[in-house]
């Protein structure tokens, strides 16, 4: 791998042992990928803190928070002192909501250790955003900006909607990037890999958040790790999808498949035309998405659901926007949840503060629901006790939750989920 003089100096130890380890990791990682150089990044999104009893015990017996960072964020068994981050770093979601430890089954020691690790991460320079949607709360990279992000739903949004550039990184490569401002130059950092490989011809209107989730779910299954471009012959795709629709679409495509970049002709920044998105090449496959494909995606997402009685409604995957919280609050205003149902809505901390000030949290709580932060049921592996069936408006969560926790999942619109929360029964259906 070619290294610049600055990179060689870091590699040779000029900036201390942690930076040296980070450069060594990036060089080994880049060479394994066939990268010929590193690219500069000023934007890292990663999980840094510790939320498990294993990490707590590890810190106690191996040398504190530096030991945890060395092992889990630098892949180094030798404990090295960790200096402040060189790069603007945002903390992603974690394994529970520290504001709701009882609901998530977290004991006091684990919570206290998490709080210590949060203080440590903040002390190193991390922004404690604690969300899978950093682009909602102040981390909005610009077109062409090289990033090092974890979290598949954030990566696909970063690449596709913002036109910034990142691969789906891991905790270790992000840890190394925080200390060096470098990441291997491969995959979606490079122009030649950003063109569409699969053409999806739309033959049906795609309007609601649910519709965008269904389309994303279909596309991910079909193209796996390809780059889809969505096009509607002879007309526009339709009303430009807003942030919640694009968020749900990308998250769904990154769940049923491994989509890290998509293009929507006339909407996303690298697809002003179909030809431009394809980069002058022919697609490897042309797929049609019409009413039959839409229904099939809906049925696949609802395959685990058998009982109409539900015990839990989870909203906020990916973390809800303020607009979605406002919508949910409007649907809940003046109503009460069914006594056997719990409603948990997940959002970033900063948006919860906004919802608190705007009165939405009060409406949700008066109805019997709760606004939570930092995590979600799939991440925390936590649902209310006794949950057999859950109602969801997220294709991503409907994909993962039955597999992770063995619950039945109903997937539908937000309004159907709120109705289920208030009546205790799923009455949704594809319109
Ligand atoms: Fe976020 Fe959890 Fe969904 S972390 S993208 S809400 S699976």
């Amino acid at each position: 791998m070619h290294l610049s003089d600055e990179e060689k100096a870091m590699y040779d130890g000029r900036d201390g042992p942690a930076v040296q380890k980070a450069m060594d990791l990036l060089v080994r990682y880049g060479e394994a990928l066939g990268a010929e150089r590193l690219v500069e990044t000023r934007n890292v999104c990663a999980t840094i803190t510790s939320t498990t009893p294993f990490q707590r015990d590890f810190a106690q017996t191996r040398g504190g928070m530096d030991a945890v960072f060395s092992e889990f964020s630098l892949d180094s068994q030798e404990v090295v002192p960790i200096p402040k981050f060189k790069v603007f770093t945002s903390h992603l979601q974690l394994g529970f909501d520290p504001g709701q430890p009882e609901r998530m089954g977290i004991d006091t020691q684990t919570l206290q250790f998490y709080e210590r690790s949060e203080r440590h991460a903040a002390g190193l320079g991390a922004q404690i955003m604690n969300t899978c949607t950093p682009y909602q709360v102040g981390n909005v990279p610009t077109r062409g900006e090289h990033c090092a992000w974890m979290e598949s739903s954030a990566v696909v949004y970063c690449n596709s909607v913002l036109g910034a550039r990142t691969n789906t990184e891991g905790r270790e490569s992000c840890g190394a990037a925080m200390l060096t401002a470098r990441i291997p130059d491969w995959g979606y950092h490079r122009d030649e890999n950003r063109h569409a490989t699969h053409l999806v011809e739309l033959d049906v209107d795609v309007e609601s958040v649910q519709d965008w989730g269904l389309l994303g779910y279909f596309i991910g299954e079909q193209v796996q790790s390809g780059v889809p471009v969505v096009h509607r012959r002879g007309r526009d795709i339709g009303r430009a999808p807003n942030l919640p629709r694009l968020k749900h679409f990308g998250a769904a495509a990154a769940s049923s498949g491994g989509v890290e970049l998509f293009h929507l002709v006339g909407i996303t920044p690298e697809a002003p035309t179909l030809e431009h998105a394809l980069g002058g090449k022919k697609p490897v496959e042309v797929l049609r998405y019409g009413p039959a494909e839409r229904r099939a995606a809906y049925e696949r997402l609802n395959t685990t659901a058998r009982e109409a009685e539900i015990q839990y409604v989870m909203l906020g995957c990916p973390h809800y926007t303020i607009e979605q919280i406002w919508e949910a609050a409007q649907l809940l205003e003046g109503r009460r949840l069914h006594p056997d149902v719990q409603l948990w809505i997940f959002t970033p901390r900063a948006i919860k503060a906004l919802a608190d000030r705007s009165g939405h949290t009060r409406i949700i709580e008066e109805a019997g629901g709760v606004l939570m932060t930092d995590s979600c049921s799939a991440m925390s592996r936590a649902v209310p006790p006794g949950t057999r069936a859950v109602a969801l408006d997220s294709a991503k969560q409907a994909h993962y939750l039955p597999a992770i926790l063995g619950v039945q999942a109903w997937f539908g619109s937000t309004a159907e989920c709120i109705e289920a929360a208030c009546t205790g029964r799923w009455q949704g259906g594809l319109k």
Side-chain angles (χ1 to χ4, degrees):
M1 179 179 291
H2 171 78
L3 297 181
S4 67
D5 290 345
E6 171 67 14
E7 289 160 358
K8 275 190 204 135
M10 290 193 278
Y11 189 73
D12 291 339
R14 180 197 67 190
D15 296 346
V19 174
Q20 188 173 28
K21 294 250 176 231
M23 279 301 292
D24 179 59
L25 184 150
L26 291 173
V27 168
R28 286 185 286 120
Y29 169 51
E31 285 179 348
L33 294 163
E36 290 175 4
R37 55 190 280 271
L38 302 172
V39 68
E40 274 190 56
T41 178
R42 288 175 299 199
N43 189 323
V44 179
C45 278
T47 296
I48 310 161
T49 54
S50 307
T51 55
T52 65
F54 175 76
Q55 287 167 320
R56 185 186 70 214
D57 296 346
F58 191 93
Q60 266 164 9
T61 55
R62 303 288 184 87
M65 301 314 298
D66 280 351
V68 174
F69 195 98
S70 299
E71 175 76 26
F72 297 101
S73 295
L74 280 183
D75 193 28
S76 165
Q77 278 157 12
E78 183 194 339
V79 179
V80 287
I82 307 301
K84 290 226 180 210
F85 300 150
K86 282 201 171 115
V87 178
F88 175 60
T89 294
S90 304
H91 200 292
L92 291 170
Q93 75 274 12
L94 44 124
F96 55 80
D97 174 358
Q100 303 277 347
E102 318 79 36
R103 282 185 209 278
M104 301 211 128
I106 299 303
D107 60 65
T108 309
Q109 290 90 338
T110 304
L111 180 64
Q112 285 171 346
F113 179 64
Y114 166 74
E115 287 167 348
R116 184 178 154 208
S117 77
E118 183 183 295
R119 283 194 298 276
H120 179 251
L124 293 174
Q127 322 308 313
I128 306 300
M129 292 182 181
N130 291 14
T131 176
C132 48
T133 59
Y135 49 85
Q136 288 203 77
V137 289
N139 189 340
V140 191
T142 52
R143 185 169 176 185
E145 186 174 345
H146 293 285
C147 303
W149 283 24
M150 292 168 65
E151 169 50 39
S152 63
S153 71
V155 163
V156 70
Y157 194 95
C158 179
N159 273 321
S160 315
V161 180
L162 304 178
R165 299 183 171 211
T166 181
N167 297 301
T168 305
E169 296 295 345
R171 183 165 176 152
E172 297 85 351
S173 55
C174 282
M178 293 164 203
L179 297 178
T180 61
R182 299 293 188 284
I183 199 74
D185 182 23
W186 72 287
Y188 295 115
H189 290 288
R190 302 191 60 82
D191 290 345
E192 65 269 25
N193 298 322
R194 296 185 64 88
H195 295 128
T197 56
H198 293 68
L199 170 57
V200 182
E201 288 284 5
L202 273 191
D203 210 3
V204 66
D205 291 337
V206 182
E207 276 291 336
S208 64
V209 171
Q210 181 188 15
D211 277 338
W212 281 96
L214 288 171
L215 176 61
Y217 200 71
F218 165 80
I219 288 177
E221 275 188 322
Q222 298 294 321
V223 313
Q224 291 298 309
S225 55
V227 179
V229 56
V230 181
H231 173 252
R232 193 152 191 190
R233 199 180 293 275
R235 54 194 281 199
D236 289 342
I237 286 178
R239 191 144 54 106
N242 61 1
L243 193 161
R245 286 163 175 76
L246 293 167
K247 168 171 77 83
H248 279 255
F249 172 69
S255 308
S256 57
V259 174
E260 294 175 59
L261 167 65
F262 63 78
H263 302 294
L264 305 175
V265 174
I267 292 171
T268 53
E270 293 172 53
T273 64
L274 177 59
E275 294 67 34
H276 193 99
L278 286 163
K281 296 205 196 97
K282 275 199 152 118
V284 295
E285 199 177 353
V286 180
L287 301 154
R288 175 183 173 275
Y289 182 79
E293 287 76 16
R294 178 172 177 263
R295 173 154 293 282
Y298 178 82
E299 282 167 6
R300 271 197 301 289
L301 277 165
N302 282 293
T303 42
T304 60
R306 296 180 304 277
E307 300 168 42
E309 248 175 43
I310 59 132
Q311 296 77 38
Y312 176 39
V313 177
M314 194 213 109
L315 306 175
C317 171
H319 282 174
Y320 252 16
T321 64
I322 188 65
E323 177 185 351
Q324 290 177 295
I325 294 172
W326 167 71
E327 281 173 6
Q330 284 191 313
L331 290 163
L332 282 166
E333 190 153 22
R335 303 185 75 185
R336 281 291 305 168
L337 298 194
H338 186 278
D340 300 333
V341 177
Q342 293 207 39
L343 167 66
W344 296 356
I345 303 177
F346 290 88
T347 194
R349 289 183 187 193
I351 290 185
K352 179 169 184 304
L354 184 55
D356 293 350
R357 294 300 295 265
S358 306
H360 309 323
T361 310
R362 179 184 50 76
I363 294 171
I364 291 165
E365 289 177 354
E366 280 175 3
V370 53
L371 199 53
M372 298 169 75
T373 64
D374 292 41
S375 191
C376 70
S377 283
M379 280 300 298
S380 59
R381 295 166 186 259
V383 293
T387 297
R388 291 191 313 278
V390 51
L392 304 158
D393 68 353
S394 160
K396 174 171 179 171
Q397 196 76 198
H399 179 83
Y400 285 120
L401 215 47
I404 293 173
L405 293 176
V407 294
Q408 302 167 45
W410 290 104
F411 166 75
S413 68
T414 307
E416 287 170 345
C417 289
I418 297 284
E419 198 55 32
C422 295
T423 62
R425 287 187 71 75
W426 182 257
Q427 298 164 77
L430 192 61
K431 310 266 184 330

